Amino acid sequence: KIDNTAKELNIFLKWLFSGQTQKEMPGEGRTFRRKTSQFWNIWPMPPKIEAPRDVIYVDGIYLSRKACVLICCDDENVLGWYLCRYEHAGAYIALLSRIAEPSVVVSDGGTGFVKALRKVWPNVKHQRCVFHVFCQVRRYTTTHPNTPAGAELYAIAKDLLYHEKQDDVERWIHRFIDWMEKYHEFLNQMTRDEYGRYRKTHERLLKARNSLIKLLREGTMFTYLDEDLLDKIERIPSTNNQIEGGVNARLRSMLRDHRG
């Protein structure tokens, strides 16, 4: 039995590193799949990371409707991953608990992440990816807003991508406050819907505004410009493009090339 398993494992490994697809094999790989079936369901466990990093990135990628992989990496390597049906606090806790506490974590604010962060890494500084913050506002305003208020808010959100100093942040906050005061009455306009009930006319703009207010209160948008942290860490990224453009992009490419 041991000899047979060794032969089957040898077959499996040769194919794994050959670059050959199963359809290129005789019989479209049916014999190969039968001989190596015991190895297909092995899910590798990521190692425990005991050496702390300065900055790590956390994100989730959906491979299908009910399959999400949470991934954690630094600037060079993937540190851990966790397969779940959807993003939630329990899944993030399972991911983070196997990794040494860093100084800063950059994320896009996935569902349940903040709760998991407070429980597993209560002392870690959190940087919300400013590109995802901009995309969230853009989703409500669209790239071609129909109102002056929407156009101005879109421009304000876009400027989040270009801040390099603390002075830029202070000017941005004052600009956002001025926008809220300028369009206070406009945003409070009411409309009667088809059921005869009154509701806010500009609900989408209000959602965009409220998302920015929430992040300002949490204090997670401008961690990358924190002077105390920058004394200890050479560079703190403002986005999690390291994982989006690196690990996630390769996973999407693989799924696309292999037709799911």
Side-chain angles (χ1 to χ4, degrees), residues 8-62:
E8 291 163 359
L9 180 58
N10 189 41
I11 292 170
F12 181 79
L13 292 175
K14 279 185 177 179
W15 168 79
L16 193 62
F17 295 105
S18 69
Q20 186 183 37
T21 65
Q22 292 181 48
K23 286 193 175 181
E24 293 170 343
M25 295 178 175
E28 296 189 345
R30 286 188 290 272
T31 302
F32 168 76
R33 286 194 296 275
R34 186 180 71 252
K35 288 185 175 181
T36 61
S37 60
Q38 61 180 309
F39 304 110
W40 287 101
N41 293 324
I42 296 174
W43 180 260
M45 288 294 294
K48 274 196 169 186
I49 304 299
E50 298 180 354
R53 270 61 172 178
D54 287 333
V55 179
I56 66 168
Y57 311 83
V58 176
D59 193 20
I61 176 173
Y62 279 87

Side-chain angles (χ1 to χ4, degrees), residues 156 159-176 216 222 224-225 227:
I156 290 170
D159 284 347
L160 283 171
L161 306 176
Y162 306 106
H163 293 158
E164 297 180 354
K165 299 178 181 178
Q166 194 64 41
D167 293 342
D168 297 334
V169 172
E170 293 175 4
R171 283 193 291 270
W172 184 88
I173 292 174
H174 287 301
R175 187 178 168 196
F176 178 54
L216 283 173
F222 305 113
Y224 71 101
L225 294 174
E227 294 178 357

Side-chain angles (χ1 to χ4, degrees), residues 7-241:
K7 289 178 183 178
E8 291 163 359
L9 180 58
N10 189 41
I11 292 170
F12 181 79
L13 292 175
K14 279 185 177 179
W15 168 79
L16 193 62
F17 295 105
S18 69
Q20 186 183 37
T21 65
Q22 292 181 48
K23 286 193 175 181
E24 293 170 343
M25 295 178 175
E28 296 189 345
R30 286 188 290 272
T31 302
F32 168 76
R33 286 194 296 275
R34 186 180 71 252
K35 288 185 175 181
T36 61
S37 60
Q38 61 180 309
F39 304 110
W40 287 101
N41 293 324
I42 296 174
W43 180 260
M45 288 294 294
K48 274 196 169 186
I49 304 299
E50 298 180 354
R53 270 61 172 178
D54 287 333
V55 179
I56 66 168
Y57 311 83
V58 176
D59 193 20
I61 176 173
Y62 279 87
L63 307 182
S64 67
R65 285 185 61 190
K66 292 184 179 181
C68 176
V69 179
L70 307 181
I71 302 170
C72 179
C73 75
D74 60 13
D75 287 321
E76 297 178 357
N77 302 299
V78 171
L79 304 177
W81 62 88
Y82 188 81
L83 178 66
C84 54
R85 289 184 177 271
Y86 60 92
E87 293 179 84
H88 58 91
Y92 275 113
I93 289 171
L95 171 69
L96 303 182
S97 60
R98 296 181 60 85
I99 300 168
E101 183 175 298
S103 298
V104 179
V105 59
V106 184
S107 80
D108 64 354
T111 305
F113 177 75
V114 174
K115 182 179 178 181
L117 189 63
R118 291 197 198 104
K119 184 169 183 179
V120 183
W121 296 338
N123 300 317
V124 170
K125 295 292 184 179
H126 183 200
Q127 169 63 49
R128 278 292 298 272
C129 175
V130 294
F131 180 73
H132 281 88
V133 174
F134 161 66
C135 290
Q136 187 173 357
V137 173
R138 184 181 62 185
R139 187 163 62 248
Y140 293 126
T141 64
T142 74
T143 53
H144 301 287
N146 295 323
T147 64
E152 287 186 33
L153 185 60
Y154 175 78
I156 290 170
K158 195 172 184 179
D159 284 347
L160 283 171
L161 306 176
Y162 306 106
H163 293 158
E164 297 180 354
K165 299 178 181 178
Q166 194 64 41
D167 293 342
D168 297 334
V169 172
E170 293 175 4
R171 283 193 291 270
W172 184 88
I173 292 174
H174 287 301
R175 187 178 168 196
F176 178 54
I177 292 172
D178 291 341
W179 177 86
M180 288 192 291
E181 292 176 350
K182 179 180 178 180
Y183 292 103
H184 177 72
E185 292 184 4
F186 176 79
L187 294 172
N188 284 330
Q189 289 178 1
M190 304 293 288
T191 300
R192 191 189 293 270
D193 63 17
E194 64 271 24
Y195 302 107
R197 295 176 294 196
Y198 283 99
R199 58 191 301 171
K200 295 289 185 179
T201 304
H202 309 287
E203 286 183 337
R204 294 177 66 85
L205 272 182
L206 287 170
K207 288 179 179 179
R209 180 200 67 180
N210 293 341
S211 68
L212 292 175
I213 291 174
K214 180 183 177 182
L215 290 173
L216 283 173
R217 286 175 176 167
E218 291 176 353
T220 57
M221 273 202 297
F222 305 113
T223 304
Y224 71 101
L225 294 174
D226 189 314
E227 294 178 357
D228 293 334
L229 284 173
L230 290 172
D231 289 338
K232 306 172 186 176
I233 304 172
E234 184 178 351
R235 172 182 166 272
I236 302 173
S238 61
T239 70
N240 62 352
N241 289 345

